[in-house]
Amino acid sequence: MANPGKVARMSRQEPEEVTFVPVEEIGGPVATASKREFDLGQFFAILLRNKMLIIGIIVIGTLLAIFMVQRMTPLYSANASLVLQRQQINLGGRSAESVVQGLTPDFFTNETEAEIIRSRSLALQVVEQLDLSSNPLFNPLLSEPEVGLIGSIGNALGISSFKEIFPESWRTSLGLEGDEDSAAPVVLTAVQKQQILREFLVDVFLAGLTVEAGGTSLVIDLSYMSEDPEMAALAVNTVADIYILGQLNAKYEATERANRWLADRVGELRLRVEGSSRNLESFRRRAGLVNIGDTTLYAQQLAELNSQLIASRTVLAEAEARYNQVQRLLETPGGLDSAAAVLESPLIQRLREQESELTRNIAELETQYRDAHPKMMLARSELEDLQKKINQEVNKVAINLGNELEITEIRQEKLEAEIDRLQGRVSEQNQAEVKLNELSSVAQADRELYETVLARFKQVDTQQQQLIEPDARVISYASTPTAPSRPRKSLIIGAGFILSGLIGFLLAFVREQLESGFRSVDQVEEATGVPAISMLPRVAGANKPGKAPYDLVIDRPTSSYSEAVRTLRTALLLSDVDRPPRTISITSSVPGEGKTTASLSLARAAAKSGQKVLIIDCDLRKPSLQEALQVPNSQGIVDYLSHEKELEDVIEIDFKSEAHYILAGPSVTNATDVLASNLMSELLEALADTYDLVVLDTPPVLAVSDTLVLGRQVDKTVFIIEWNRTRRAAAAEALKQIVASGADVAGVVLTQVDIKKFERYYGSGSSHYSGQYKNYYSEA
C-alpha cells in the first residue's frame, strides 16, 4: 500500500475548541424529565425482580408474628368509672361554704385526681388490702420462673447460660467471667426484705393500672389488666373504693381539725372583743368626747363662732366703708352733707326741712323788708342757729361712725381669739377622735371576726355529718371480663404481615439503589447525559470455539447479536447524516467491558455490508485483537509509527469478513507519546481517505490516558459500558475525561446484556431483541 504521506488526503475540519461540561449536565432536559416522571411499570418491575426477597421477608415476618402471638400470655382488662362532683351544702336555709372545700371540676382537677389514683400510696393500700404478697401473679417468689425463648434455646443446647458456649479462657479474656462468687453477699434484715417486696408489689400493681381523666368531662376511667379476669375486676373495684374512702377520711380529719381550730379561735376572739371594748370606753372618758348628734360640742361651738365671725367681718367692712367715705367728705367743703349716713339720719332730714322752710321765708321777707329790718335779722339769726345745729348733728354722725368702726373691730378680734382657742380644742379632740376611731375599728373588726368564726363554728358543729361527703362517686363498677383484651392476635399477625411487606418493599428498593451498574438505556442517559445508541446482548457459550460474538456476525447474520451490531452501525451513520464518521474510536472506563468484541463485531458487520473497513488495535499496553483473530502479534501499528515498517506491511486481512486490520505490535514504554505523534494523526487522515470506516480499539480511559490523545483525532468516539457490571461512578468519570479532552462522543453502547434478566427488569417492550421479537432472529 502507498505511503500515507503520498496518499491524497481529504480535507478534514479541525475539531472546535471544546468547553468542558460536567457529564451530569450533558443530558440536561432529557435526564431531568426522566427523573421527574414516575414510571408505574418500573415500579412493578422492581417488585417483580425482587419478588422472592419480598415474599421471603413477608413469610418470615408473618411467622415471627404468629410465633410471638402464640407465646404471649392472654391479658384481661376490667373497667370502672368515677365521676367528680362539687358538694353544695345548705345550712340553716342559706348557702354556705363548707369548711372542707369541695373540688372544682376542671381539667387540672381531673388530672390531679387521676394522679392521686395512680399514686404509690394508694397502690400500697390496695396491695395490703388484697394481700398481693400471697398472690403468685404478683409475687415471683411464689411462682416458678418462666423460660423464655432464649432460655428454651439454651435448654435445648444443654447449657444454662450462653456464656458456656465460649471456652473458659475466652470468657475470662472477654470479661464474661466476673467475680460474683468472690463478692461478699449482701445481708438484708427482715424489715428490709419486707420493704423491698412491698415496693416491688407496688410497681407490679401500677404496671397493670391505667387511669384516664376526661379532658372536658368529669368522668375518670379506671382499668386494670391482669392474667386473671377475676383479679382484674377485683383490683380496679378496690382502687375505686379505696379512693372514695380516702376522700371521706381526709374530709373527716379536716373537719375535726377545723372544729378544734374554730373552738380555740372563738375563745381567743371573745377575749379580744372584751378587751377592745374596754379600751374604747376608757379612752372616750379620758378624752371627754361628748357627741351632740353627729358632731362634738366644741365642733358645734366652733361652727357657730365661725358664722358670727363671717357676719362680723361683713359688718366691719360696711363700717369701714362708711367711715372712709365720711373722712373723704370731711376734707371737701360741704361734702359731708352728701354722706349716706348723714342723708339717712331722720333728725338731720327734719333739720334740713326746717332749713329749707327758713330759707324760703327769708326769700319772701327780702321782697318786703330791708336787710336791717328786725324780721330779716331774726330770720337770718334763726337760719344760722339751725345750720349750726345741722353741722353739730353731722359731726355727731361722723363721730358715731368712728365709734361704730372701733367697736366692730374689737368685737371681731374677740371672735377670732375665741375661734383660735376653740380650734386648738377641736384639734386636740380630732387627734383624740383618730385614736378613738382606731380603737373603735379594732373593736368592730374583732366583733365581726368573732361573730363570723362563731357562726362557722356553730355550722361545723351542727352540720358536721352533712359535710363529710366524697367529691367523687362510682358510676360503674367493673365486672369480670369474659374474653381477653390482649393480645389482639389477628391485629398483630396482620401488622406483622404488613410491616414485613413494607420492609420487603423497602429492602427491594434499597437493593435497587445500591446496585452500582447500569441496567437500562434510561439509567445510562440519566446518569451520564449521553445518549445510548445500542445494546449488545450476551451470547451464550461465548468462550467456546466458533461461539464468539464477533463470529456470530459472520456465521449467523440474522441473530439478535448481529442485528444489535447493525443497529450500532446505523446509529453511527445517522449521527452525522451529511458527513458520516469515517474514523471511530471505541473505548470503555475499565478493562473487560467488551470494547474489543464490539470493535471487531462492528468492523466485520460493516465489511459484510460491502464497506472497506480497517480495525486498528490501539491498546499498545495490553492488546487483545490478535487473540480474537487468533493470529500472532508479530507486527503492528507500533512498527509503523516507529518507522520500522511500511503501512502496507502491517495491514492484514480478516478472511472471514474481508475486513483489514492492524495489530498493536511489540509493546512500548511511551505508548501515549506514540499515539499522540503527528505521524499517527497523518495516518488517520490518510486512512480516512482510503477506507470507508476505520475502527480504533483503544484502551480503557481510567487505566491509561492513551484514549484521550486519540479522541480529537477521530470523527466519533463510542463509549462501551458492560451491562449491570460497570460502576456508574467509573463510567461517569471516564466520560467526563473524554468530553474534557475534546472528543466527539457519538453515544454509549451497553454490552453483554442478559436478555432474560433485562425482560424481567424492563418488560418485553424495552428492546428490539426482547422476547416477543425472538421469532425474527436465529440464535446459535
Side-chain angles (χ1 to χ4, degrees):
M1 181 172 287
N3 190 299
K6 299 178 181 180
V7 178
R9 300 181 183 132
M10 182 183 296
S11 61
R12 304 181 67 212
Q13 183 178 1
E14 291 296 329
E16 299 178 355
E17 184 68 23
V18 177
T19 302
F20 169 71
V21 179
V23 176
E24 295 82 354
E25 301 178 3
I26 295 177
V30 176
T32 303
S34 178
K35 289 181 180 179
R36 289 179 180 174
E37 295 177 358
F38 174 75
D39 192 343
L40 187 60
Q42 290 290 348
F43 174 78
F44 285 108
I46 293 174
L47 299 183
L48 183 62
R49 288 194 298 272
N50 297 274
K51 60 182 179 182
M52 297 308 298
L53 172 65
I54 296 174
I55 292 174
I57 293 177
I58 290 176
V59 170
I60 293 174
T62 305
L63 290 177
L64 286 176
I66 295 174
F67 179 75
M68 290 174 58
V69 167
Q70 294 300 326
R71 291 187 60 84
M72 287 182 178
T73 303
L75 299 177
Y76 297 85
S77 179
N79 302 304
S81 297
L82 301 172
V83 63
L84 301 179
Q85 54 189 1
R86 180 167 183 170
Q87 299 296 322
Q88 296 293 336
I89 301 173
N90 191 299
L91 302 177
R94 61 186 180 91
S95 178
E97 290 184 327
S98 65
V99 174
V100 182
Q101 293 292 335
L103 296 177
T104 302
D106 55 19
F107 171 79
F108 300 103
T109 301
N110 295 353
E111 289 296 329
T112 302
E113 296 303 309
E115 289 298 327
I116 293 175
I117 298 174
R118 284 190 289 259
S119 65
R120 297 184 65 85
S121 59
L122 191 145
L124 180 59
Q125 297 179 48
V126 177
V127 168
E128 294 176 348
Q129 181 169 329
L130 298 181
D131 191 19
L132 298 184
S133 60
S134 302
N135 193 326
L137 292 176
F138 295 89
N139 191 348
L141 301 177
L142 304 178
S143 60
E144 296 182 359
E146 295 185 359
V147 180
L149 177 61
I150 297 178
S152 301
I153 297 174
N155 293 336
L157 296 176
I159 58 176
S160 59
S161 175
F162 277 94
K163 294 190 294 183
E164 297 180 9
I165 64 177
F166 299 101
E168 184 176 356
S169 59
W170 289 18
R171 295 199 298 267
T172 304
S173 60
L174 292 174
L176 299 178
E177 293 290 347
D179 298 332
E180 296 87 351
D181 298 336
S182 61
V186 179
V187 180
L188 299 177
T189 63
V191 176
Q192 291 175 331
K193 292 179 180 179
Q194 189 67 24
Q195 179 64 26
I196 293 175
L197 178 60
R198 280 200 302 269
E199 294 296 328
F200 175 78
L201 294 175
V202 168
D203 293 334
V204 174
F205 180 80
L206 289 177
L209 178 64
T210 302
V211 183
E212 295 181 356
T216 57
S217 68
L218 305 180
V219 177
I220 298 179
D221 296 321
L222 313 178
S223 66
Y224 194 83
M225 190 168 294
S226 174
E227 300 176 15
D228 185 357
E230 296 181 357
M231 174 55 67
L234 178 61
V236 73
N237 291 334
T238 304
V239 169
D241 292 339
I242 290 180
Y243 170 68
I244 299 297
L245 182 61
Q247 283 192 339
L248 292 175
N249 292 335
K251 285 203 167 188
Y252 179 79
E253 292 175 0
T255 304
E256 288 295 324
R257 288 195 302 270
N259 207 351
R260 290 192 299 270
W261 181 83
L262 289 174
D264 295 339
R265 292 292 294 167
V266 166
E268 294 176 1
L269 292 176
R270 183 185 297 110
L271 297 177
R272 183 187 297 179
V273 169
E274 293 175 356
S276 59
S277 299
R278 285 195 300 270
N279 292 337
L280 176 63
E281 293 301 325
S282 175
F283 181 80
R284 189 192 301 275
R285 288 193 299 270
R286 290 197 308 271
L289 295 174
V290 179
N291 292 336
I292 301 176
D294 296 334
T295 183
T296 62
L297 178 62
Y298 289 140
Q300 184 176 6
Q301 292 177 356
L302 181 61
E304 292 177 356
L305 289 178
N306 282 327
S307 299
Q308 295 178 12
L309 178 61
I310 293 172
S312 176
R313 287 175 178 174
T314 303
V315 173
L316 177 62
E318 293 176 355
E320 287 180 348
R322 288 195 299 268
Y323 180 77
N324 292 334
Q325 182 185 19
V326 170
Q327 293 299 320
R328 288 194 304 270
L329 293 177
L330 286 175
E331 296 176 357
T332 304
L336 187 60
D337 295 340
S338 60
V342 174
L343 294 177
E344 293 175 355
S345 175
L347 178 59
I348 294 176
Q349 289 179 358
R350 289 194 300 271
L351 293 175
R352 290 293 184 187
E353 292 176 356
Q354 293 177 8
E355 181 183 12
S356 298
E357 183 67 25
L358 287 175
T359 302
R360 186 172 58 254
N361 291 332
I362 291 172
E364 290 177 358
L365 289 175
E366 285 179 350
T367 59
Q368 298 176 8
Y369 302 106
R370 293 181 179 182
D371 293 336
H373 192 275
K375 290 184 177 181
M376 288 292 295
M377 294 176 62
L378 179 61
R380 287 191 175 97
S381 177
E382 291 179 357
L383 180 60
E384 289 177 359
D385 293 337
L386 184 59
Q387 289 177 344
K388 290 180 179 179
K389 194 172 183 178
I390 290 173
N391 291 334
Q392 290 176 356
E393 291 297 328
V394 169
N395 290 331
K396 288 180 180 180
V397 169
I399 292 171
N400 290 335
L401 287 176
N403 294 334
E404 182 180 354
L405 176 60
E406 183 177 357
I407 293 171
T408 303
E409 290 177 346
I410 293 172
R411 180 182 178 187
Q412 182 172 339
E413 290 176 357
K414 290 182 177 182
L415 285 174
E416 290 177 349
E418 184 63 18
I419 287 173
D420 290 340
R421 185 184 67 80
L422 287 177
Q423 283 181 342
R425 297 299 302 273
V426 169
S427 177
E428 293 176 357
Q429 277 198 343
N430 286 339
Q431 294 178 359
E433 285 184 353
V434 170
K435 181 64 175 178
L436 180 66
N437 291 335
E438 180 180 353
L439 295 176
S440 178
S441 298
V442 171
Q444 182 65 23
D446 290 342
R447 187 176 297 104
E448 291 177 356
L449 180 60
Y450 169 72
E451 292 175 354
T452 301
V453 175
L454 181 61
R456 181 63 56 86
F457 173 71
K458 291 180 179 179
Q459 293 174 5
V460 174
D461 189 46
T462 57
Q463 302 293 337
Q464 180 174 350
Q465 297 302 322
Q466 297 182 20
L467 290 173
I468 304 178
E469 293 292 337
D471 291 320
R473 60 185 176 89
V474 181
I475 59 176
S476 176
Y477 277 102
S479 59
T480 303
T482 57
S485 59
R486 292 183 184 179
R488 299 180 181 178
K489 296 184 178 181
S490 58
L491 179 62
I492 295 176
I493 295 174
F497 177 82
I498 296 174
L499 181 60
S500 58
L502 293 176
I503 294 175
F505 292 158
L506 178 62
L507 291 179
F509 283 98
V510 170
R511 179 182 179 186
E512 290 289 326
Q513 294 298 322
L514 292 178
E515 290 181 349
S516 59
F518 294 99
R519 288 186 170 181
S520 71
V521 171
D522 293 338
Q523 289 179 350
V524 173
E525 294 178 348
E526 288 176 5
T528 65
V530 178
I533 57 178
S534 182
M535 290 190 295
L536 302 181
R538 178 178 297 171
V539 177
N543 296 327
K544 297 180 181 180
K547 293 290 187 178
Y550 39 77
D551 291 333
L552 292 181
V553 177
I554 304 299
D555 300 336
R556 293 187 178 274
T558 59
S559 65
S560 60
Y561 181 83
S562 301
E563 185 61 34
V565 174
R566 286 192 288 272
T567 300
L568 170 60
R569 176 172 167 268
T570 302
L572 291 173
L573 292 175
L574 295 178
S575 62
D576 192 345
V577 179
D578 297 331
R579 293 183 64 252
R582 301 174 73 90
T583 56
I584 298 172
S585 67
I586 298 180
T587 186
S588 64
S589 57
V590 294
E593 296 189 66
K595 58 181 180 58
T596 301
T597 300
S599 301
L600 184 56
S601 299
L602 177 61
R604 283 183 170 180
K608 291 297 290 184
S609 66
Q611 285 186 310
K612 190 176 182 180
V613 181
L614 173 66
I615 178 172
I616 306 175
D617 190 351
C618 294
D619 192 349
L620 307 183
R621 306 171 191 265
K622 192 176 181 181
S624 57
L625 183 59
Q626 76 280 0
E627 296 177 1
L629 295 174
Q630 297 181 353
V631 295
N633 186 22
S634 57
Q635 60 182 10
I637 189 67
V638 174
D639 298 301
Y640 171 75
L641 295 177
S642 60
H643 303 284
E644 294 181 2
K645 292 192 177 186
E646 297 296 328
L647 183 60
E648 57 268 19
D649 296 332
V650 297
I651 295 179
E652 305 291 342
I653 299 175
D654 176 26
F655 293 103
K656 287 187 177 182
S657 63
E658 299 299 327
H660 295 180
Y661 64 87
I662 300 177
L663 299 178
S667 61
V668 292
T669 57
N670 58 340
T672 304
D673 297 334
V674 171
L675 296 176
S677 63
N678 293 331
L679 184 57
M680 183 64 181
S681 178
E682 293 173 357
L683 174 63
L684 292 177
E685 292 182 3
L687 293 177
D689 295 338
T690 305
Y691 289 91
D692 297 325
L693 180 63
V694 178
V695 180
L696 276 64
D697 181 12
T698 60
V701 175
L702 298 182
V704 293
S705 61
D706 301 355
T707 302
L708 302 180
V709 301
L710 293 173
R712 296 175 63 94
Q713 302 180 32
V714 297
D715 295 334
K716 294 289 182 179
T717 298
V718 176
F719 190 75
I720 298 297
I721 297 177
E722 183 177 352
W723 183 81
N724 199 30
R725 176 178 173 271
T726 304
R727 301 180 68 86
R728 301 183 186 184
E733 178 62 25
L735 275 172
K736 178 179 179 181
Q737 295 183 20
I738 293 172
V739 173
S741 68
D744 186 357
V745 180
V748 175
V749 176
L750 283 175
T751 63
Q752 303 185 44
V753 179
D754 190 324
I755 297 176
K756 294 182 179 180
K757 290 185 178 180
F758 184 87
E759 289 179 355
R760 290 202 302 267
Y761 273 69
Y762 302 102
S764 61
S766 300
S767 175
H768 63 274
Y769 53 80
S770 57
Q772 61 180 331
Y773 306 135
K774 63 182 179 180
N775 294 331
Y776 285 86
Y777 309 125
S778 132
E779 301 295 342

